[in-house]
Amino acid sequence: MDTPRFRDPQTRIDDLVDEPILVVCPRCSRRASVTSERLTCAGCALVRVPPRPDHRVWGGSIDPFFREPLWLRAECCGGNTLWAFHVGHLDLIERFVAATLRERGLGDRPGLTLVARLPSWMTTAKHRAEVLRTIAKLRATLS
Ligand SMILES: [Zn+2]
């Protein structure tokens, strides 16, 4: 985590949904998971299928299939919201924010990569400590 150098792995937001997304269960408010095919909650045994199969709506701190609030989200740096789909996403943000040397990495896929799209409040050096503290707090909710 204290590696100063970060090379962009060229992850796109679409790549993240290969892993289950953690959301707040709409029935019991515990941790549930979402894939393109279903929402499942181990806490209350809720199972739902999406209203439209594999239809994605991207936007802020909700999952793209059911639009439920993400489990990994917290207020950070004066009214901003830090959010992640799952621990792999959180790890990626953490490695980027912790790095003092950020490299674009190799690849010629079109469009901006995930880390290139992170908001400036999150990537500015003066917020590094607070963002990393918030990430640690979110990570603690996963154990
Ligand atoms: Zn539940």
Side-chain angles (χ1 to χ4, degrees):
M1 209 218 71
D2 51 354
T3 29
R5 179 183 294 246
F6 175 90
R7 181 166 287 168
D8 190 346
Q10 304 280 310
T11 306
R12 303 305 205 268
I13 197 161
D14 265 304
D15 300 332
L16 292 177
V17 303
D18 295 342
E19 277 179 67
I21 296 167
L22 305 176
V23 298
V24 178
C25 176
R27 189 156 76 187
C28 74
S29 299
R30 282 178 281 184
R31 192 167 78 216
S33 70
V34 160
T35 66
S36 60
E37 288 165 3
R38 67 193 61 217
L39 180 154
T40 50
C41 175
C44 70
L46 178 66
V47 177
R48 280 190 185 161
V49 295
R52 291 161 69 190
D54 206 31
H55 176 68
R56 298 172 187 197
V57 180
W58 305 108
S61 57
I62 56 169
D63 83 81
F65 304 114
F66 293 84
R67 305 182 64 82
E68 295 295 343
L70 297 177
W71 182 262
L72 293 170
R73 85 200 137 100
E75 194 180 310
C76 187
C77 301
N80 294 293
T81 304
L82 192 157
W83 54 269
F85 286 141
H86 43 60
V87 70
H89 188 189
L90 202 62
D91 288 343
L92 181 67
I93 297 170
E94 181 175 57
R95 287 193 296 117
F96 185 79
V97 170
T100 49
L101 179 62
R102 295 165 180 169
E103 297 174 354
R104 289 180 55 197
L106 301 171
D108 53 5
R109 294 170 64 189
L112 288 173
T113 69
L114 199 73
V115 295
R117 294 172 55 163
L118 288 176
S120 56
W121 68 263
M122 207 186 279
T123 60
T124 180
K126 69 172 190 234
H127 286 162
R128 178 177 291 132
E130 185 175 349
V131 170
L132 292 177
R133 270 199 308 277
T134 303
I135 289 172
K137 203 168 66 184
L138 288 174
R139 196 183 291 282
T141 70
L142 296 173
S143 52

